[in-house]
Amino acid sequence: MGVISPIETLFLKSQHGLLQTRDYSYPVALRNSRRVTNLTRNSFSFVSLGSSSVDFPLCSDPISQNGRPSYPWRRYVSESESAEVYNEKVSIMEMLKKANSFIPHVILSSTILALLYPPSFTWFKPRYFVPGLGFMMFAVGINSNERDFLEALKRPDAIFAGYIGQYLIKPLLGYMFGVMAVSLFNLPTPIGAGIMLVSCVSGAQLSNYTTFLTDPSLAPLSIVMTSISTATAALVTPMLSLLLIGKKLPVDVIRMISSILQVVVTPIAAGLLLNRLLPRLSSAIKPFLPALTLIDMACCIGAPLALNIDSILSPFGATILFLVITFHLLAFVAGYFFTGFFFSKAPDVKALQRTLSYETGMQSSLLALALATKFFQDPLVGVPPAISTVVMSLMGVSLVTIWKNRKE
């Protein structure tokens, strides 16, 4: 004997005159399982209605609902299969959330692809870099809240240390490597000027995202540091370039402010507002952001490499690559140990060391490249910034992988 649901019982009673004729042709509600099956005509031959019994063949003819046939009796099957479907969906969501674990693979793949087949990334033009970095900042904003930024502003000593790393430690290293390039490696003077120019610009917005991946709680602090260094670059970068290179470079203040608004302030504010005003939509978006950001990062790393492949493969390319790698490496190391020395008693000293290492070792090489192209006649000045764009990104994201693995 089969078991009939209450809705089907009422329907059958109405069909056999046991109830007044009413339209029960609405669909049966589904629960516990997403899979249903129709019972055949001979599935049941006996139905119990209250205290009496009625013996009749169970009709399986469809009823009309909104002009479409509907079968009123359906049966749920295989709750284990339903659980499998649910578990499969959960595993996909978990995989999307853990997409950041594929960062080293994406970096290596995008680098190799850009070197072997530059057209795979040349479509990602420089005008896409701002929205690309902005999307990363949106991912930071949607995973933060206003209190995080208020707490960051309560650490002026750390903010000042980040500023020292950007505009004192890094320029000193840049000057040293610029002189070495000309005097020890016999490279053309414009190459040395290009290395110095890289050290004069503000912090890179990518450092905010790398901090977010390693130490999410300090991402707002990193954002404040980068924003301040970028805002003051209109004054500091020309002075440093005059001091180190001997040429004062006018920097467009309006363009600097516009860059901060587009890349940092607006995307982060959008993420924070989405969290507060539309929390359900924010929760629905969050699982997909790591995977989308990974694709975005691949483009932001592969594109500069592909677009500047001629500079990298130039006669001086290997030597410049060595100098730029060493320059960035020492900047990362100096930022790390400088912070450890002055903030040794801080409860989060290790996280702070990583954050200031990113701030000191990563700078806006794209800005340096733009300045080199606009204000220097010799195209060789732009070669170190072009190589720095790739090296800085690869080294920063590689450190994310190393430090995350150590934390785990």
Side-chain angles (χ1 to χ4, degrees), residues 129-212:
F129 291 161
V130 168
L133 292 171
F135 183 78
M136 293 185 194
M137 293 300 99
F138 173 75
V140 174
I142 203 173
N143 285 281
S144 306
N145 57 61
E146 299 88 339
R147 292 189 301 274
D148 297 331
F149 290 91
L150 293 176
E151 289 298 320
L153 293 173
K154 295 178 181 178
R155 306 187 69 169
D157 52 348
I159 295 172
F160 180 71
Y163 199 81
I164 292 296
Q166 281 287 341
Y167 286 132
L168 181 61
I169 295 176
K170 191 178 62 180
L172 289 175
L173 289 172
Y175 181 77
M176 181 178 70
F177 276 91
V179 172
M180 286 173 54
V182 177
S183 59
L184 294 182
F185 293 91
N186 297 318
L187 294 175
T189 302
I191 297 295
I195 295 175
M196 294 180 190
L197 182 60
V198 169
S199 69
C200 295
V201 294
S202 57
Q205 282 81 15
L206 186 59
S207 66
N208 307 149
Y209 189 68
T210 53
T211 300
F212 168 70

Coordinates of all heavy atoms in Angstrom, one line a residue, residues 129-212:
F129 N 44.4 49.1 -16.4 CA 45.1 48.9 -15.2 C 44.3 49.5 -14.0 O 44.2 48.9 -12.9 CB 46.5 49.4 -15.2 CG 47.4 48.6 -16.1 CD1 48.6 49.2 -16.6 CD2 47.1 47.4 -16.5 CE1 49.4 48.5 -17.4 CE2 47.9 46.7 -17.4 CZ 49.1 47.2 -17.8
V130 N 43.8 50.7 -14.2 CA 43.1 51.4 -13.1 C 41.8 50.6 -12.7 O 41.7 50.3 -11.5 CB 42.7 52.8 -13.5 CG1 41.7 53.5 -12.5 CG2 44.0 53.7 -13.6
P131 N 40.9 50.2 -13.6 CA 39.8 49.4 -13.1 C 40.2 48.1 -12.6 O 39.6 47.5 -11.7 CB 38.9 49.3 -14.4 CG 39.8 49.7 -15.5 CD 40.8 50.6 -15.0
G132 N 41.3 47.5 -13.2 CA 41.8 46.2 -12.7 C 42.2 46.3 -11.2 O 41.8 45.5 -10.4
L133 N 43.0 47.3 -10.9 CA 43.4 47.5 -9.5 C 42.2 47.9 -8.6 O 42.2 47.5 -7.5 CB 44.5 48.6 -9.4 CG 45.9 48.2 -10.0 CD1 46.8 49.4 -10.1 CD2 46.5 47.1 -9.3
G134 N 41.3 48.7 -9.2 CA 40.1 49.1 -8.5 C 39.3 47.9 -8.1 O 38.7 47.9 -7.0
F135 N 39.2 46.9 -8.9 CA 38.4 45.7 -8.6 C 39.1 45.0 -7.4 O 38.4 44.5 -6.5 CB 38.4 44.7 -9.8 CG 37.5 43.5 -9.5 CD1 36.1 43.6 -9.5 CD2 38.1 42.3 -9.2 CE1 35.4 42.5 -9.3 CE2 37.3 41.2 -9.0 CZ 36.0 41.3 -9.0
M136 N 40.4 45.0 -7.3 CA 41.1 44.4 -6.1 C 40.7 45.1 -4.9 O 40.5 44.5 -3.8 CB 42.6 44.3 -6.4 CG 43.1 43.4 -7.5 SD 44.9 43.4 -7.6 CE 45.1 42.6 -9.2
M137 N 40.7 46.5 -5.0 CA 40.4 47.3 -3.8 C 38.9 47.1 -3.4 O 38.6 47.1 -2.2 CB 40.6 48.8 -4.1 CG 42.1 49.1 -4.3 SD 43.1 48.8 -2.9 CE 43.8 47.2 -3.3
F138 N 38.0 46.8 -4.4 CA 36.6 46.5 -4.1 C 36.6 45.2 -3.2 O 35.8 45.1 -2.3 CB 35.8 46.4 -5.4 CG 34.4 45.9 -5.1 CD1 33.4 46.8 -4.6 CD2 34.1 44.6 -5.4 CE1 32.1 46.3 -4.4 CE2 32.8 44.1 -5.2 CZ 31.8 45.0 -4.7
A139 N 37.4 44.3 -3.6 CA 37.4 43.0 -2.8 C 37.9 43.2 -1.4 O 37.4 42.6 -0.5 CB 38.3 42.0 -3.6
V140 N 38.8 44.2 -1.2 CA 39.3 44.5 0.1 C 38.1 45.2 0.9 O 37.9 44.9 2.0 CB 40.5 45.4 0.0 CG1 40.9 45.9 1.4 CG2 41.7 44.7 -0.6
G141 N 37.5 46.1 0.2 CA 36.4 46.9 0.9 C 35.2 46.1 1.3 O 34.7 46.2 2.4
I142 N 34.9 45.1 0.5 CA 33.7 44.3 0.8 C 34.0 43.3 1.9 O 33.1 42.8 2.6 CB 33.2 43.5 -0.5 CG1 31.7 43.2 -0.3 CG2 34.0 42.3 -0.7 CD1 31.1 42.6 -1.6
N143 N 35.2 43.1 2.2 CA 35.6 42.2 3.3 C 36.1 43.0 4.5 O 36.7 42.4 5.4 CB 36.7 41.2 2.8 CG 36.2 40.1 2.0 OD1 35.7 39.1 2.4 ND2 36.4 40.3 0.7
S144 N 35.8 44.3 4.5 CA 36.2 45.1 5.7 C 35.0 45.9 6.2 O 33.9 45.7 5.7 CB 37.3 46.1 5.2 OG 38.4 45.5 4.6
N145 N 35.3 46.7 7.2 CA 34.2 47.5 7.7 C 34.8 48.9 8.2 O 36.0 49.0 8.3 CB 33.4 46.9 8.8 CG 34.3 46.4 10.0 OD1 34.9 47.3 10.6 ND2 34.3 45.1 10.3
E146 N 34.0 49.8 8.5 CA 34.4 51.2 8.8 C 35.3 51.2 10.1 O 36.3 51.9 10.1 CB 33.2 52.1 9.1 CG 32.3 52.3 7.9 CD 31.2 51.2 7.8 OE1 31.4 50.1 8.5 OE2 30.2 51.4 7.2
R147 N 35.0 50.3 11.0 CA 35.8 50.2 12.3 C 37.3 49.9 12.0 O 38.2 50.4 12.7 CB 35.2 49.2 13.2 CG 33.9 49.6 13.8 CD 33.5 48.7 14.9 NE 33.4 47.3 14.4 CZ 32.3 46.8 13.8 NH1 31.2 47.5 13.6 NH2 32.3 45.5 13.4
D148 N 37.5 49.1 10.9 CA 38.9 48.7 10.6 C 39.7 50.0 10.2 O 40.9 50.1 10.6 CB 38.9 47.7 9.4 CG 38.3 46.4 9.8 OD1 38.3 46.1 11.0 OD2 37.7 45.7 8.9
F149 N 39.1 50.9 9.5 CA 39.9 52.1 9.0 C 40.0 53.1 10.2 O 41.0 53.8 10.3 CB 39.1 52.7 7.9 CG 39.2 51.9 6.6 CD1 38.2 51.0 6.3 CD2 40.3 52.1 5.7 CE1 38.3 50.2 5.1 CE2 40.4 51.3 4.6 CZ 39.4 50.4 4.3
L150 N 39.0 53.1 11.1 CA 39.2 54.0 12.2 C 40.3 53.5 13.1 O 41.1 54.3 13.7 CB 37.8 54.1 13.0 CG 36.7 54.7 12.3 CD1 35.4 54.6 13.1 CD2 37.0 56.2 12.0
E151 N 40.4 52.2 13.3 CA 41.5 51.6 14.1 C 42.9 51.9 13.4 O 43.9 52.1 14.1 CB 41.3 50.1 14.2 CG 40.1 49.7 15.2 CD 40.4 50.2 16.6 OE1 41.5 50.1 17.1 OE2 39.4 50.7 17.2
A152 N 42.9 51.8 12.1 CA 44.2 52.1 11.4 C 44.7 53.5 11.6 O 45.9 53.7 11.8 CB 44.0 51.9 9.9
L153 N 43.7 54.5 11.7 CA 44.1 55.9 11.9 C 44.6 56.1 13.3 O 45.3 57.1 13.6 CB 42.9 56.8 11.6 CG 42.5 56.9 10.2 CD1 41.2 57.7 10.0 CD2 43.6 57.5 9.3
K154 N 44.4 55.2 14.2 CA 44.9 55.3 15.6 C 46.3 54.8 15.7 O 46.9 54.7 16.8 CB 44.0 54.5 16.5 CG 42.6 55.0 16.7 CD 41.7 54.1 17.6 CE 40.3 54.6 17.7 NZ 39.5 53.7 18.5
R155 N 47.0 54.5 14.6 CA 48.4 54.0 14.6 C 49.3 55.0 13.8 O 49.8 54.6 12.8 CB 48.5 52.6 14.1 CG 47.5 51.6 14.8 CD 47.8 50.2 14.4 NE 49.0 49.7 14.9 CZ 49.4 48.4 14.8 NH1 48.5 47.5 14.3 NH2 50.6 48.0 15.3
P156 N 49.4 56.2 14.2 CA 50.2 57.2 13.4 C 51.7 56.8 13.3 O 52.3 57.1 12.4 CB 50.0 58.5 14.2 CG 49.6 58.1 15.6 CD 48.8 56.8 15.4
D157 N 52.2 56.1 14.4 CA 53.6 55.7 14.3 C 53.8 54.7 13.2 O 54.8 54.8 12.5 CB 54.0 55.1 15.7 CG 53.0 53.9 16.2 OD1 51.9 53.8 15.6 OD2 53.4 53.2 17.1
A158 N 52.9 53.7 13.0 CA 53.1 52.7 11.9 C 52.9 53.4 10.6 O 53.6 53.1 9.6 CB 52.0 51.6 12.1
I159 N 52.0 54.4 10.5 CA 51.8 55.1 9.2 C 53.0 55.9 8.9 O 53.5 55.9 7.7 CB 50.5 56.0 9.3 CG1 49.3 55.2 9.5 CG2 50.4 56.9 8.1 CD1 48.0 56.0 9.8
F160 N 53.6 56.5 9.9 CA 54.8 57.3 9.6 C 56.0 56.4 9.2 O 56.8 56.7 8.4 CB 55.2 58.1 10.9 CG 56.5 58.9 10.8 CD1 56.5 60.0 10.0 CD2 57.6 58.5 11.4 CE1 57.6 60.8 9.8 CE2 58.8 59.3 11.3 CZ 58.8 60.4 10.5
A161 N 56.1 55.2 9.8 CA 57.1 54.2 9.5 C 57.0 53.8 8.0 O 57.9 53.6 7.3 CB 57.0 53.0 10.4
G162 N 55.7 53.6 7.6 CA 55.5 53.3 6.2 C 55.9 54.4 5.2 O 56.5 54.1 4.2
Y163 N 55.7 55.6 5.7 CA 56.1 56.7 4.9 C 57.6 56.8 4.8 O 58.2 57.2 3.7 CB 55.5 58.0 5.5 CG 55.5 59.2 4.6 CD1 54.4 59.3 3.7 CD2 56.4 60.2 4.6 CE1 54.3 60.4 2.8 CE2 56.4 61.3 3.7 CZ 55.3 61.4 2.8 OH 55.2 62.4 1.9
I164 N 58.3 56.6 5.9 CA 59.8 56.5 5.9 C 60.3 55.5 4.9 O 61.3 55.7 4.2 CB 60.3 56.3 7.3 CG1 60.0 57.5 8.2 CG2 61.8 56.0 7.3 CD1 60.7 58.8 7.8
G165 N 59.6 54.3 4.9 CA 60.0 53.2 4.0 C 59.9 53.6 2.6 O 60.8 53.3 1.7
Q166 N 58.8 54.3 2.3 CA 58.5 54.7 0.9 C 59.4 55.8 0.4 O 59.9 55.7 -0.7 CB 57.1 55.2 0.8 CG 56.0 54.1 0.7 CD 56.0 53.4 -0.6 OE1 56.5 53.9 -1.6 NE2 55.5 52.2 -0.7
Y167 N 59.7 56.8 1.2 CA 60.3 58.0 0.7 C 61.7 58.3 1.3 O 62.3 59.4 1.1 CB 59.4 59.2 0.9 CG 58.3 59.3 -0.1 CD1 57.0 59.5 0.4 CD2 58.5 59.1 -1.4 CE1 55.9 59.6 -0.5 CE2 57.4 59.1 -2.3 CZ 56.2 59.4 -1.9 OH 55.1 59.4 -2.8
L168 N 62.2 57.3 2.1 CA 63.6 57.5 2.6 C 64.4 56.2 2.3 O 65.5 56.3 1.6 CB 63.6 57.8 4.1 CG 65.0 58.0 4.7 CD1 65.7 59.2 4.1 CD2 64.9 58.2 6.2
I169 N 64.0 55.1 2.8 CA 64.7 53.9 2.6 C 64.8 53.5 1.1 O 65.9 53.2 0.5 CB 64.1 52.7 3.4 CG1 64.2 53.0 4.9 CG2 64.8 51.4 3.0 CD1 63.5 51.9 5.7
K170 N 63.7 53.5 0.4 CA 63.6 53.1 -1.0 C 64.4 54.1 -1.9 O 65.2 53.6 -2.8 CB 62.2 53.0 -1.4 CG 61.9 52.4 -2.8 CD 60.5 52.3 -3.1 CE 59.8 53.6 -3.1 NZ 58.4 53.6 -3.4
P171 N 64.3 55.4 -1.7 CA 65.1 56.3 -2.6 C 66.6 56.1 -2.4 O 67.4 56.2 -3.3 CB 64.6 57.7 -2.1 CG 63.2 57.5 -1.7 CD 63.2 56.2 -1.0
L172 N 67.0 55.9 -1.1 CA 68.4 55.6 -0.9 C 68.9 54.4 -1.6 O 70.0 54.4 -2.2 CB 68.7 55.4 0.6 CG 68.6 56.7 1.5 CD1 68.8 56.4 2.9 CD2 69.6 57.7 1.0
L173 N 68.1 53.3 -1.6 CA 68.4 52.1 -2.4 C 68.4 52.4 -3.9 O 69.3 51.9 -4.6 CB 67.4 51.0 -2.0 CG 67.5 50.4 -0.6 CD1 66.4 49.4 -0.4 CD2 68.9 49.6 -0.5
G174 N 67.5 53.2 -4.3 CA 67.4 53.5 -5.7 C 68.6 54.3 -6.2 O 69.1 54.0 -7.3
Y175 N 69.0 55.2 -5.4 CA 70.2 56.0 -5.8 C 71.4 55.1 -5.8 O 72.3 55.2 -6.8 CB 70.4 57.1 -4.7 CG 71.6 58.0 -5.1 CD1 71.6 58.9 -6.1 CD2 72.8 57.8 -4.3 CE1 72.7 59.7 -6.4 CE2 73.9 58.6 -4.6 CZ 73.8 59.6 -5.6 OH 74.9 60.3 -5.9
M176 N 71.6 54.2 -4.8 CA 72.7 53.3 -4.8 C 72.8 52.4 -6.0 O 73.8 52.2 -6.7 CB 72.7 52.4 -3.5 CG 73.8 51.5 -3.4 SD 73.7 50.5 -1.8 CE 72.3 49.5 -2.2
F177 N 71.6 51.8 -6.4 CA 71.6 50.9 -7.6 C 71.7 51.7 -8.9 O 72.2 51.2 -9.9 CB 70.3 50.1 -7.5 CG 70.4 48.9 -6.7 CD1 70.1 48.9 -5.3 CD2 70.9 47.7 -7.2 CE1 70.2 47.8 -4.5 CE2 71.0 46.6 -6.4 CZ 70.7 46.6 -5.0
G178 N 71.2 52.9 -8.9 CA 71.4 53.7 -10.1 C 72.8 54.0 -10.4 O 73.3 54.0 -11.5
V179 N 73.6 54.4 -9.3 CA 75.0 54.6 -9.5 C 75.7 53.4 -9.9 O 76.6 53.4 -10.7 CB 75.6 55.2 -8.2 CG1 77.1 55.3 -8.3 CG2 75.0 56.6 -7.9
M180 N 75.4 52.2 -9.2 CA 76.0 51.0 -9.6 C 75.8 50.6 -11.0 O 76.7 50.0 -11.7 CB 75.5 49.9 -8.6 CG 76.0 49.9 -7.2 SD 75.1 48.7 -6.1 CE 75.4 47.2 -7.0
A181 N 74.6 50.8 -11.5 CA 74.3 50.5 -12.9 C 75.2 51.1 -13.9 O 75.7 50.5 -14.9 CB 72.8 50.8 -13.2
V182 N 75.6 52.4 -13.6 CA 76.4 53.2 -14.5 C 77.9 52.9 -14.2 O 78.7 52.7 -15.2 CB 76.1 54.7 -14.4 CG1 77.1 55.5 -15.3 CG2 74.7 54.9 -14.7
S183 N 78.3 52.9 -13.0 CA 79.7 52.8 -12.7 C 80.3 51.4 -12.7 O 81.4 51.1 -13.1 CB 80.0 53.5 -11.3 OG 79.3 52.8 -10.3
L184 N 79.5 50.4 -12.1 CA 80.0 49.1 -12.0 C 79.6 48.2 -13.3 O 80.4 47.3 -13.7 CB 79.5 48.4 -10.8 CG 80.0 49.0 -9.4 CD1 79.4 48.2 -8.3 CD2 81.5 48.9 -9.4
F185 N 78.4 48.4 -13.8 CA 77.9 47.5 -14.9 C 78.0 48.2 -16.2 O 77.6 47.6 -17.2 CB 76.5 47.1 -14.6 CG 76.4 46.2 -13.4 CD1 76.1 46.7 -12.1 CD2 76.5 44.8 -13.6 CE1 76.0 45.9 -11.0 CE2 76.3 44.0 -12.5 CZ 76.1 44.5 -11.2
N186 N 78.6 49.4 -16.2 CA 78.8 50.2 -17.5 C 77.5 50.3 -18.4 O 77.6 50.2 -19.6 CB 79.9 49.5 -18.3 CG 81.2 49.5 -17.6 OD1 81.6 50.6 -17.0 ND2 81.9 48.4 -17.6
L187 N 76.4 50.4 -17.7 CA 75.1 50.6 -18.4 C 75.0 52.1 -18.8 O 75.6 53.0 -18.1 CB 73.9 50.2 -17.6 CG 73.9 48.7 -17.3 CD1 72.7 48.4 -16.4 CD2 73.7 47.9 -18.6
P188 N 74.2 52.4 -19.8 CA 74.0 53.8 -20.2 C 73.4 54.6 -19.0 O 72.6 54.1 -18.2 CB 73.0 53.8 -21.3 CG 73.2 52.4 -21.9 CD 73.5 51.5 -20.7
T189 N 73.8 55.9 -18.9 CA 73.3 56.8 -17.8 C 71.7 56.8 -17.7 O 71.2 56.8 -16.6 CB 73.8 58.2 -18.0 OG1 75.3 58.1 -18.0 CG2 73.4 59.1 -16.9
P190 N 71.0 56.8 -18.8 CA 69.5 56.8 -18.7 C 69.0 55.6 -18.0 O 67.9 55.7 -17.3 CB 69.1 56.8 -20.2 CG 70.2 57.4 -20.9 CD 71.4 57.0 -20.3
I191 N 69.7 54.4 -18.0 CA 69.3 53.3 -17.3 C 69.3 53.5 -15.8 O 68.4 53.2 -15.0 CB 70.1 52.0 -17.7 CG1 69.9 51.7 -19.1 CG2 69.7 50.8 -16.8 CD1 68.5 51.2 -19.5
G192 N 70.5 54.1 -15.4 CA 70.6 54.5 -13.9 C 69.5 55.5 -13.5 O 69.0 55.4 -12.4
A193 N 69.2 56.4 -14.4 CA 68.2 57.4 -14.1 C 66.8 56.7 -14.0 O 66.0 57.1 -13.1 CB 68.1 58.5 -15.2
G194 N 66.6 55.7 -14.8 CA 65.3 55.0 -14.7 C 65.2 54.2 -13.4 O 64.1 54.2 -12.8
I195 N 66.3 53.6 -12.9 CA 66.2 52.9 -11.6 C 65.9 53.9 -10.5 O 65.1 53.7 -9.6 CB 67.5 52.2 -11.4 CG1 67.7 51.1 -12.4 CG2 67.5 51.6 -10.0 CD1 69.0 50.3 -12.3
M196 N 66.6 55.1 -10.5 CA 66.3 56.1 -9.5 C 64.9 56.6 -9.6 O 64.3 56.9 -8.5 CB 67.3 57.3 -9.7 CG 68.8 56.9 -9.4 SD 69.8 58.4 -9.7 CE 71.5 57.6 -9.7
L197 N 64.4 56.7 -10.8 CA 63.0 57.2 -10.9 C 62.0 56.3 -10.3 O 61.0 56.7 -9.7 CB 62.7 57.4 -12.4 CG 61.3 58.0 -12.8 CD1 61.1 59.3 -12.1 CD2 61.1 58.0 -14.3
V198 N 62.3 55.0 -10.4 CA 61.4 54.0 -9.8 C 61.3 54.2 -8.3 O 60.3 54.0 -7.7 CB 61.9 52.5 -10.2 CG1 61.1 51.5 -9.3 CG2 61.7 52.2 -11.6
S199 N 62.5 54.5 -7.7 CA 62.5 54.7 -6.2 C 61.9 56.0 -5.7 O 61.7 56.1 -4.5 CB 64.0 54.6 -5.8 OG 64.7 55.8 -6.2
C200 N 61.5 56.9 -6.6 CA 61.0 58.2 -6.2 C 59.5 58.2 -6.2 O 58.9 59.2 -5.6 CB 61.5 59.3 -7.2 SG 63.3 59.6 -7.2
V201 N 58.8 57.2 -6.7 CA 57.3 57.3 -6.8 C 56.7 56.7 -5.6 O 57.3 56.2 -4.7 CB 56.8 56.6 -8.1 CG1 57.3 57.3 -9.3 CG2 57.3 55.1 -8.1
S202 N 55.4 56.9 -5.5 CA 54.6 56.5 -4.4 C 54.4 55.0 -4.3 O 54.8 54.3 -5.2 CB 53.2 57.2 -4.4 OG 52.6 56.9 -5.6
G203 N 53.7 54.5 -3.3 CA 53.5 53.1 -3.1 C 52.5 52.6 -4.1 O 51.7 53.3 -4.6
A204 N 52.6 51.3 -4.3 CA 51.7 50.6 -5.3 C 50.4 50.2 -4.6 O 50.4 49.6 -3.5 CB 52.4 49.4 -5.9
Q205 N 49.3 50.3 -5.3 CA 48.0 49.9 -4.8 C 48.0 48.4 -4.6 O 47.2 47.8 -3.8 CB 46.9 50.3 -5.7 CG 46.5 51.8 -5.5 CD 47.4 52.7 -6.2 OE1 48.2 52.3 -7.1 NE2 47.4 54.0 -5.9
L206 N 48.8 47.7 -5.4 CA 48.8 46.2 -5.3 C 49.3 45.8 -3.9 O 49.0 44.7 -3.4 CB 49.7 45.6 -6.3 CG 49.8 44.1 -6.5 CD1 48.4 43.5 -6.7 CD2 50.8 43.7 -7.5
S207 N 50.1 46.6 -3.2 CA 50.6 46.3 -1.9 C 49.4 46.2 -0.9 O 49.4 45.4 0.1 CB 51.5 47.3 -1.4 OG 50.9 48.6 -1.2
N208 N 48.3 46.9 -1.1 CA 47.1 46.8 -0.3 C 46.5 45.4 -0.4 O 46.1 44.9 0.6 CB 46.1 47.9 -0.7 CG 46.7 49.3 -0.7 OD1 46.2 50.1 -1.4 ND2 47.7 49.6 0.2
Y209 N 46.4 44.9 -1.6 CA 45.8 43.6 -1.8 C 46.7 42.5 -1.3 O 46.2 41.5 -0.7 CB 45.5 43.4 -3.3 CG 44.6 42.2 -3.5 CD1 43.3 42.2 -3.1 CD2 45.1 41.1 -4.1 CE1 42.5 41.0 -3.3 CE2 44.4 39.9 -4.3 CZ 43.1 39.9 -3.9 OH 42.3 38.8 -4.1
T210 N 48.0 42.6 -1.4 CA 48.9 41.6 -0.9 C 48.8 41.5 0.6 O 48.8 40.5 1.2 CB 50.3 41.8 -1.4 OG1 50.7 43.1 -1.0 CG2 50.5 41.6 -2.9
T211 N 48.7 42.7 1.2 CA 48.5 42.8 2.7 C 47.2 42.1 3.1 O 47.1 41.4 4.1 CB 48.5 44.2 3.2 OG1 49.8 44.8 2.9 CG2 48.3 44.3 4.7
F212 N 46.1 42.4 2.3 CA 44.8 41.8 2.6 C 44.9 40.3 2.5 O 44.3 39.6 3.4 CB 43.8 42.3 1.6 CG 42.5 41.6 1.6 CD1 41.6 41.7 2.6 CD2 42.2 40.8 0.5 CE1 40.4 41.0 2.6 CE2 41.0 40.1 0.5 CZ 40.1 40.2 1.5

